[in-house]
Amino acid sequence: RLSGPDWPCHRRAARDADEETCRPAEAPPRALLGEADALASRGLFAEAVHLLLFRSIADHDERKPGLVRPALTSRDIAGLGDIPSGPRGAFARIAMLVEQSLFARRPLAEGDWTSCRAAYEEFAFAESWRG
């Protein structure tokens, strides 16, 4: 299990690349958070976390077409240097929770959801996207 400094985003934190493009508009992420909150309120934490991961990947693809290729895993995407280190670290935290849920078959709890939600907000609304 990778965590902390083992994640590629932490190894590359000093290497921030072109920061001006990936930031999504605020309305779609806010609507997405509403959808994810609705899932979490029904105790569907894994589904809510997966939704945030998939949207984060779509955000990458919309802002930097071709960056996210179909063969890349979420761990690979977390290691891409084309996003600022703060949002990249937030994405890595979301991806780690999805990995724990999907591959380790670890049920996610409300605290996991809260952590993931905060990570998505950090990813989507980070000042470093403004370039």
Side-chain angles (χ1 to χ4, degrees):
R1 178 177 150 222
L2 291 178
S3 65
D6 295 325
W7 275 83
C9 63
H10 293 281
R11 291 193 307 260
R12 295 183 186 140
R15 198 185 94 203
D16 282 350
D18 183 21
E19 296 182 3
E20 77 270 356
T21 56
C22 290
R23 184 176 178 156
E26 290 205 18
R30 295 242 182 258
L32 173 69
L33 284 171
E35 290 177 46
D37 284 336
L39 289 169
S41 72
R42 295 192 331 248
L44 301 172
F45 303 118
E47 290 84 347
V49 169
H50 283 106
L51 180 61
L52 294 185
L53 177 73
F54 294 142
R55 183 59 219 175
S56 298
I57 293 169
D59 288 345
H60 279 86
D61 196 45
E62 289 171 11
R63 302 300 180 203
K64 295 222 181 220
L67 178 67
V68 177
R69 296 179 311 279
L72 293 179
T73 66
S74 57
R75 192 177 294 184
D76 294 332
I77 296 166
L80 295 173
D82 288 14
I83 58 174
S85 63
R88 192 175 340 133
F91 178 85
R93 292 194 311 274
I94 296 167
M96 183 176 62
L97 283 169
V98 171
E99 282 186 358
Q100 289 173 1
S101 169
L102 189 62
F103 301 117
R105 304 251 187 241
R106 179 181 151 284
L108 298 182
E110 187 172 1
D112 297 317
W113 160 245
T114 302
S115 173
C116 183
R117 189 183 196 290
Y120 181 76
E121 286 181 331
E122 183 180 328
F123 171 82
F125 305 118
E127 288 297 318
S128 58
W129 284 126
R130 296 181 194 266

